[in-house]
């Protein structure tokens, strides 16, 4: 289908420990921690206080700003704390802690059977907004905003991102195999909201079973299912669009500017649940894997379950973890404690044993150019790292297009000098933001 | 013979012509510049530290000569001598210049401090700060990767064997470049004659602070209650000393006595041997 791919990397996928395992429904957590910020945008505002009794699906924190998202109770029980708690991405964040009463009761009026085909797009959008749905691929951008393109922009194609290019992660893979019908319904709902007929589901060709199942289920609906080459970062919006449509997103623009909206498969399931059954986003599928985990699994976890509890459900650690990561090994966020909660964007919990971590002293750039070949955005990571090392931020932004970098980590992966290129890039971005803010 | 003569005449003519053109251009396009600016610039320390708020020593010299509103005492590295001299040259009144000295508000050694994680990234405080505010459990303490040392143009800072920066008494000019470079704001500029100082920067609540660090200010406020002159105030769980009140009134220094963690100490400028590079 394609010639030799010039960009990206092809690391060991490490998906075998979990790809054949069915999603396990979790034991009820005793306590959940629900940060008010689990999405891109402004934090939501808590509307409950310490001591309140809440039920599953009840609204806990309300989105007040235009770009924000609701947070719901994921178990029934008592609010025991509203305070700063550890957060896997932000470090610390205001959070609502609920202690379970064991009953796991639904709040009144949450579960509703609805015929989504009778709803109009505005009503569907309102339901998605109320349900607190955000992009579950990891970027956590509020879905109701992504599905409401500003007037004047035309959407001609909807891409469902099921590439799951990060090693170890198999959550989306299992979702397609087990929740096939909900995925298809979710896609049809999104189609109705956006009013597009051209839909492509992009799945990496290392998951041919999922391609077959999806293609079978999609027969007759007009939804196309495409197998795309297995190559990291195939699942990044911009690379997937390029592979499927041969269109390139211009620098500094969104896919919307070329008429494309991309949604993750997990998000489609959440949309289906919310619109058809009235269930807000209170749980997600998480892959718990890595060499230090006793028994890697795909778990369906309530949002707010701590990492410690999730790891315990997989038999705990078999050796001390050298590194603990939320998300995939290439783009995920390293954690220092297992007290952090699973948030809406947590696609995986990975604990790596000592021998799996490749660390070592970095040495100067030898100008071999490996990173230039690997960069999917066509940037020059070697120069970006050197400029970052010397704090030449302006040059990095203006001449080397720092902000086109999506921090996929290919450059750092291939670097023979073990340079921490992504760290230099993040540092430069931070410095640039600080200077701009002054 | 005539060839030599011809060449001499032509060259002299050419030289004379260009000489006259240059002389005319010099007259016509002359830039009026106050000679005082050069004189003032000459006496400034040339650290180009920017503590005055101008782009460099030349920019400050120009501003102080030409703008009557610019004070002559803005050059902090120059201290009183330069301030007086600039005032004399520009005919302005030299206001008092308060001596300033970089002070590191954290005494918890990096080598023994509790850590959240093992930091393996690039050796830069601002870069470590991106990762959950640095590896130390205390989110307010010194990270110890030496951005302040690299920022100092006067060679006045070194890292000691505990991984904390130490200020060299003889070289510190009080320009404040180190304080700007620190991502956590651990470095304050204080009066070197101040009798006491708080060796802590933590705004965390008492119970949490105690868990994080044994020598931190727990915000109990005993020192503030002890002080008869109200020189110590509690701001965000941290004692803050107004050293101008201490210098003016205090002789007995009673604030130290009851501090449970010894976070408030008599302030001593570190002796020179401590500031030798390790």
């Amino acid at each position: 289908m394609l010639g030799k791919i010039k960009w990206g990397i092809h690391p060991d996928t490490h998906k075998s420990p979990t790809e054949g395992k069915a999603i396990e429904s979790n034991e009820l957590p005793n306590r959940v921690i629900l940060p008010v910020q689990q999405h891109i945008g402004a934090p939501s505002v808590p509307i409950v206080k310490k001591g309140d009794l809440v039920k599953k699906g009840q609204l806990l924190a309300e989105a007040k700003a235009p770009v924000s998202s609701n947070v719901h109770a994921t178990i029934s029980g008592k609010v025991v704390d509203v305070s700063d708690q550890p957060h896997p991405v932000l470090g610390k964040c205001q959070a609502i802690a609920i202690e379970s009463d064991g009953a796991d009761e639904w709040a009144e009026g949450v579960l509703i059977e609805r015929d989504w085909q009778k709803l109009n797009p505005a009503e569907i959008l309102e339901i998605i907004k109320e349900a607190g749905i955000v992009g579950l691929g990891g970027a956590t951008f509020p879905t109701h905003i992504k599905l409401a393109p500003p007037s004047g922009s035309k959407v001609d194609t909807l891409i469902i991102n099921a590439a799951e290019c990060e090693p170890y992660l198999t959550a989306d893979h299992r979702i397609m195999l087990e929740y096939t019908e909900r995925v298809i319904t979710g896609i049809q709902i999104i189609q109705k909201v956006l009013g597009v007929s051209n839909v492509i589901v992009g799945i990496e060709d290392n998951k041919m079973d999922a391609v077959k199942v999806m293609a079978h289920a999609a027969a007759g609906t007009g939804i196309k299912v495409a197998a795309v080459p297995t190559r990291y970062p195939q699942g990044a919006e911009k690379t997937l669009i390029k592979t499927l449509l041969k269109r390139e997103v211009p620098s500094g623009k969104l896919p919307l500017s070329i008429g494309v909206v991309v949604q993750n498969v997990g998000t489609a399931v959440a949309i289906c649940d919310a619109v058809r059954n009235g269930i807000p986003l209170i749980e997600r599928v998480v892959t718990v894997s890595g060499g230090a985990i006793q028994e890697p699994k795909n778990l369906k976890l309530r949002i707010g379950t701590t990492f410690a509890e999730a790891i315990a459900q997989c038999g705990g650690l078999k050796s001390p973890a050298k590194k603990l990561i939320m998300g995939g090994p290439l783009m995920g966020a390293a954690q220092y404690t297992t007290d952090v909660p699973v948030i809406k964007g947590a696609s995986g919990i990975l604990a790596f044993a000592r021998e799996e971590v490749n660390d070592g002293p970095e040495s100067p750039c030898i100008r071999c150019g490996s990173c230039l070949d690997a960069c999917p955005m066509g940037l020059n990571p070697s120069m970006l790292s050197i400029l970052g090392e010397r704090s030449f931020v302006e040059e990095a932004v203006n001449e080397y297009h720092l902000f086109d970098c999506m921090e996929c980590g290919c450059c750092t992966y291939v670097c023979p000098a073990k340079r921490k290129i992504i760290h230099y890039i993040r540092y430069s971005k931070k410095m640039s933001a600080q200077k701009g803010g002054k | 013979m005539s060839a030599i003569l011809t060449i001499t005449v032509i060259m002299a003519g050419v030289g004379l012509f260009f000489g006259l053109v240059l002389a005319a251009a010099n007259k016509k396009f002359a830039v009026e510049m106050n000679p005082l600016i050069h004189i003032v610039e000459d006496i400034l320390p040339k650290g180009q530290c920017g503590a005055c708020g101008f782009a460099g020593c030349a920019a400050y010299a120009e501003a102080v000569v030409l703008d009557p509103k610019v004070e002559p005492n803005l050059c902090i590295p120059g201290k009183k001598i330069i301030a007086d001299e600039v005032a004399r040259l520009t005919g302005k009144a030299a206001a008092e210049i308060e001596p300033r000295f970089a002070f590191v508000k954290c005494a918890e050694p990096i080598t023994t401090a509790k850590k959240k994680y093992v930091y393996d990234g690039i050796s830069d405080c601002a870069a470590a700060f991106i990762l959950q505010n640095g590896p130390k459990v205390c989110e307010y303490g010194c990270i110890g990767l030496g951005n302040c040392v690299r920022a100092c143009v006067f060679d006045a800072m070194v890292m000691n064997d505990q991984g904390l920066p130490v200020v060299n008494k003889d070289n510190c000019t009080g320009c404040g470049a180190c304080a700007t470079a620190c991502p956590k704001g651990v470095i304050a500029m204080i009066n070197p004659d101040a009798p006491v100082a708080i060796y802590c920067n933590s705004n965390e609540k008492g119970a949490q602070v105690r868990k994080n660090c044994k020598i931190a200010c727990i915000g109990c406020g005993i020192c503030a209650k002890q002080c008869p002159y109200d020189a110590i105030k509690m701001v965000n769980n941290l004692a803050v000393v107004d050293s101008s009140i201490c210098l003016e009134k205090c002789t007995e220094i009673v604030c130290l006595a009851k501090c449970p963690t010894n976070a408030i100490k008599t302030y001593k400028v570190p002796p020179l041997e401590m500031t030798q590079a390790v």
Side-chain angles (χ1 to χ4, degrees):
Chain A
M1 169 171 144
L2 290 164
K4 192 174 175 293
I5 303 175
K6 300 249 165 51
W7 50 263
I9 52 175
H10 187 51
D12 277 348
T13 58
H14 290 283
K15 289 183 193 270
S16 56
T18 51
E19 66 184 350
K21 286 187 186 163
I23 298 166
E24 278 183 40
S25 229
N26 61 313
E27 300 151 32
L28 200 62
N30 296 323
R31 185 188 161 96
V32 290
I33 299 165
L34 298 160
V36 294
Q37 178 139 36
Q38 303 183 33
H39 50 265
I40 291 177
S44 47
V45 184
I47 54 169
V48 290
K49 56 183 190 305
K50 198 174 163 178
D52 285 2
L53 293 175
V54 294
K55 289 200 172 143
K56 188 162 69 162
Q58 185 180 334
L59 186 64
L60 294 182
E62 207 179 350
K64 290 263 164 76
V67 181
S68 187
S69 185
N70 286 343
V71 176
H72 298 82
T74 59
I75 52 172
S76 64
K78 193 172 160 190
V79 176
V80 286
D81 209 357
V82 181
S83 63
D84 278 0
Q85 300 278 347
H87 185 288
V89 179
L90 305 170
K92 244 177 199 173
C93 177
Q94 190 184 32
I96 299 155
I98 304 172
E99 216 153 75
S100 173
D101 58 8
D104 202 25
E105 266 178 274
W106 283 100
E108 261 175 60
V110 170
L111 291 180
I112 317 164
E113 292 293 325
R114 263 187 293 236
D115 184 1
W116 63 268
Q117 284 174 343
K118 287 189 188 143
L119 299 170
N120 66 34
E123 286 167 335
I124 296 175
L125 272 180
E126 190 56 32
I127 294 169
I128 292 172
K129 186 183 172 190
E130 285 303 314
I133 295 174
V134 300
L136 296 183
T140 65
F141 189 79
T143 304
H144 63 275
I145 296 168
K146 207 170 175 179
L147 292 184
S151 54
S153 53
K154 248 183 139 176
V155 181
D156 57 36
T157 309
L158 167 67
I159 290 179
I160 299 299
N161 187 349
E164 200 161 52
C165 57
E166 282 258 18
Y168 292 90
L169 304 185
T170 55
D172 289 352
H173 186 181
R174 293 312 305 180
I175 285 175
M176 285 186 285
L177 292 179
E178 295 176 39
Y179 303 160
T180 323
E181 188 267 334
R182 283 152 75 195
V183 172
I184 299 289
T185 312
I187 295 172
Q188 285 170 329
I189 295 171
I190 303 172
Q191 246 182 308
K192 181 163 186 186
V193 174
L194 291 172
V196 291
S197 55
N198 191 21
V199 188
I200 313 172
V201 183
I203 307 171
E204 274 193 352
D205 58 10
N206 59 356
K207 296 182 265 291
M208 286 315 282
D209 52 345
V211 175
K212 278 197 196 104
V213 169
M214 286 294 292
H216 181 72
T221 58
I223 298 168
K224 283 171 254 168
V225 178
V228 294
T230 302
R231 189 91 184 155
Y232 179 85
Q234 187 68 266
E237 262 186 353
K238 290 174 185 173
T239 36
L240 192 61
I241 293 172
K242 206 165 152 187
T243 309
L244 289 171
L245 302 176
K246 312 264 182 309
R247 294 188 206 164
E248 216 166 303
V249 181
S251 166
K253 293 270 177 62
L254 293 171
L256 200 56
S257 65
I258 51 165
V260 184
V261 168
V262 183
Q263 286 289 347
N264 175 268
V265 270
T267 318
V269 172
I271 288 172
C272 168
D273 289 351
V275 176
R276 204 169 59 176
N277 305 102
I279 304 171
L281 182 58
I282 58 165
E283 55 188 9
R284 67 157 299 146
V285 181
V286 180
T287 303
V288 185
S289 187
I293 299 283
Q294 193 76 32
E295 197 191 336
K297 280 178 186 174
N298 296 301
L299 295 175
K300 192 166 80 183
L301 292 173
R302 298 287 162 86
I303 311 282
T305 311
T306 59
F307 279 29
E309 249 181 280
I311 292 170
Q313 283 182 38
C314 296
L317 297 173
K318 63 179 173 196
S319 61
K322 167 79 179 165
K323 224 164 205 180
L324 179 69
I325 288 171
M326 184 201 88
L330 282 141
M331 283 193 79
Q335 306 298 321
Y336 64 88
T337 166
T338 51
D339 293 338
V340 287
V342 169
I343 56 170
K344 290 175 181 175
S347 46
I349 298 173
L350 305 176
F352 291 125
R354 178 74 199 85
E355 63 274 11
E356 284 177 292
V357 178
N358 177 14
D359 54 359
E362 72 171 352
S363 50
C365 173
I366 57 170
R367 316 256 175 183
C368 65
S370 305
C371 52
L372 278 89
D373 290 340
C375 182
M377 301 304 288
L379 300 173
N380 183 346
S382 112
M383 266 321 276
L384 285 172
S385 82
I386 290 165
L387 293 171
E389 203 171 3
R390 286 157 178 69
S391 305
F392 288 172
V393 177
E394 255 163 61
E395 207 176 337
V397 174
N398 299 330
E399 285 167 42
Y400 290 87
H401 312 284
L402 175 72
F403 282 95
D404 282 342
C405 171
M406 56 180 173
E407 303 175 14
C408 67
C410 291
C411 49
T412 315
Y413 180 84
V414 297
C415 182
K418 289 192 177 176
R419 288 178 63 75
K420 302 167 186 355
I421 302 173
I422 293 298
H423 198 173
Y424 286 118
I425 287 174
R426 284 193 187 160
Y427 168 74
S428 306
K429 283 184 178 173
K430 185 106 179 176
M431 289 292 123
S432 171
Q434 270 173 15
K435 275 185 191 160
K438 262 179 197 171
Chain B
M1 192 66 196
S2 70
I4 294 172
L5 201 72
T6 320
I7 289 168
T8 316
V9 169
I10 290 172
M11 290 314 288
V14 169
L16 197 69
F17 172 72
F18 281 112
L20 286 171
V21 169
L22 283 173
N26 191 28
K27 267 258 150 52
K28 186 152 171 54
F29 302 115
V31 177
E32 278 296 322
M33 178 114 172
N34 193 334
L36 198 55
I37 293 173
H38 290 300
I39 301 170
V40 172
E41 193 196 341
D42 274 347
I43 63 162
L44 291 174
K46 306 281 187 343
Q48 316 293 359
C49 64
C52 51
F54 292 90
C57 298
Y60 174 55
E62 194 180 329
V64 77
V65 171
L66 300 180
D67 188 345
K69 279 188 226 118
V70 176
E71 296 284 336
N73 64 343
L74 295 184
C75 179
I76 290 158
K79 304 215 169 72
K80 193 170 162 30
I81 307 171
I82 302 294
D84 286 345
E85 191 64 18
V86 173
R88 190 182 63 78
L89 287 169
T90 55
K92 293 175 182 177
E96 266 300 297
I97 184 165
E98 199 192 338
R100 298 201 305 171
F101 195 84
F103 167 61
V104 183
K105 290 191 281 180
C106 178
E108 192 190 23
I110 307 294
T111 40
T112 55
K114 278 192 202 161
K115 305 263 172 65
K116 287 190 275 206
Y117 56 88
V118 180
Y119 179 70
D120 187 31
I122 52 181
S123 187
D124 182 288
C125 302
F129 188 64
I130 302 172
L131 299 165
Q132 317 231 351
N133 296 354
K136 241 187 189 182
V137 166
C138 172
E139 302 210 331
Y140 300 89
C142 173
I143 299 177
L145 293 171
N147 276 21
C148 48
V149 174
R150 286 188 287 278
C152 181
V153 288
F154 297 103
D155 274 345
M157 289 184 114
V158 288
M159 302 303 284
N160 68 8
D161 53 359
Q162 297 178 323
L164 290 172
V166 187
V167 187
N168 182 319
K169 179 187 172 190
D170 296 334
N171 288 2
C172 180
T173 59
C175 71
C178 50
T180 317
C182 180
K184 289 197 179 185
V186 174
I187 296 174
M189 306 309 297
I190 67 166
N191 192 321
D193 297 322
V196 295
I198 313 285
Y199 285 71
C200 182
N201 186 39
S202 173
N203 291 335
E204 204 114 38
K205 284 195 181 119
Q208 189 58 43
V209 174
R210 269 237 117 116
K211 273 186 217 153
N212 295 346
C213 171
K214 287 201 177 68
I215 51 171
C217 170
I218 55 169
C220 64
I222 288 186
C223 53
K225 279 185 206 125
Q226 298 281 311
C227 178
Y229 310 108
D230 278 343
I232 303 176
K233 291 210 165 55
M234 302 307 296
V235 183
N236 271 340
N237 303 313
L238 184 67
V240 176
V241 184
D242 183 349
S243 57
S244 62
I245 300 180
C246 305
L247 283 169
E248 197 184 317
K249 297 177 179 163
C250 183
T251 48
E252 56 271 51
I253 312 185
V254 290
C255 49
L256 303 176
K258 284 197 177 164
C259 178
T261 54
N262 284 330
I264 183 165
K265 289 196 194 70
T266 26
Y267 176 61
K268 282 195 289 286
V269 174
L272 194 58
E273 62 269 17
M274 269 181 73
T275 61
Q276 303 300 314
V278 284

